Amino acid sequence: MTRVLIGGFMHEVHTFVEGVLSLDDVRRNGYIVSGPDIFTDAIGARQEVHGALEIALANGVEPVPSLMAFGGVGARVSDEAYALMRSGILDVATRERGRLDGVYLQLHGAMATESEDDPEGDIIEALRTLLGSDVPIVASFDLHCHTTDRMVRNATALVAYTTIPHVDFMKTGARTMQILVDAMA
């Protein structure tokens, strides 16, 4: 059976906001969810991952859940919080290495941490390094994603919402997963 790692993190940084978004702030004002709970309403209803899951299951793809996190909007994310988000995805990828056929990431594209201006590019690059060039990696993003060369170089596809206000979360997740399914064929 085809197996796909699913996970992600979302935060929209406003660098003019003083301070740092701590791990406690993320837990209090957003969420950090891991394992099969990432497919539930614990992350909100009708998110990209829910659309992606529908397409995965319809195509006989086994979802391999990792971590989903949401920090809201505000200051840079603390390195501690990002390290937890990053390891929540990479630890599962490491454990499942050699048994994954693809990766789907629900990202926002506008996060920055205390020491990393491109955490989305960082996670995509880390997955590419770990899993090799034959494993497709796709990610969904907000329209104002801070697209970087590192993201483009290491991802198979980067897919954005098409509406403002964002009423197409599920459609974007479904469209992104379909691109992944096609890439794995």
Side-chain angles (χ1 to χ4, degrees):
M1 174 176 265
T2 303
R3 303 177 80 238
V4 170
L5 176 80
I6 299 177
F9 50 78
M10 300 189 320
H11 176 71
E12 184 172 317
V13 71
H14 289 237
T15 55
F16 57 85
V17 174
E18 292 185 19
V20 174
L21 190 76
S22 72
L23 186 54
D24 287 340
D25 293 333
V26 174
R27 288 185 173 131
R28 183 175 39 257
N29 301 321
Y31 58 77
I32 298 176
V33 179
S34 59
D37 286 344
I38 72 169
F39 302 126
T40 69
D41 286 349
I43 68 161
R46 303 184 57 77
Q47 297 298 311
E48 295 106 291
V49 71
H50 299 124
L53 182 62
E54 284 181 7
I55 296 299
L57 296 176
N59 284 278
V61 172
E62 178 185 347
V64 179
S66 61
L67 174 136
M68 292 293 298
F70 174 70
V73 176
R76 289 177 176 268
V77 174
S78 72
D79 287 341
E80 175 193 24
Y82 177 59
L84 179 77
M85 294 174 201
R86 188 179 192 276
S87 68
I89 295 169
L90 288 177
D91 289 353
V92 174
T94 300
R95 185 179 70 234
E96 299 293 336
R97 187 174 165 190
R99 299 184 301 156
L100 292 172
D101 301 292
V103 175
Y104 169 85
L105 296 173
Q106 176 180 311
L107 301 172
H108 188 75
M111 181 190 278
T113 74
E114 291 174 280
S115 61
E116 175 62 64
D117 287 335
D118 182 16
E120 292 89 354
D122 175 60
I123 192 69
I124 295 168
E125 182 178 61
L127 286 163
R128 175 62 65 219
T129 299
L130 177 68
L131 301 174
S133 61
D134 293 336
V135 175
I137 300 170
V138 300
S140 56
F141 289 95
D142 195 322
L143 286 163
H144 68 83
C145 167
H146 304 162
T147 307
T148 65
D149 288 340
R150 182 162 56 164
M151 289 179 201
V152 172
R153 211 176 30 253
N154 290 290
T156 306
L158 306 174
V159 182
Y161 311 149
T162 59
T163 63
I164 298 173
H166 306 312
V167 294
D168 65 331
F169 291 136
M170 282 192 60
K171 285 182 182 178
T172 300
R175 195 164 34 100
T176 307
M177 181 58 79
Q178 189 61 59
I179 290 168
L180 179 58
V181 167
D182 293 346
M184 293 184 299

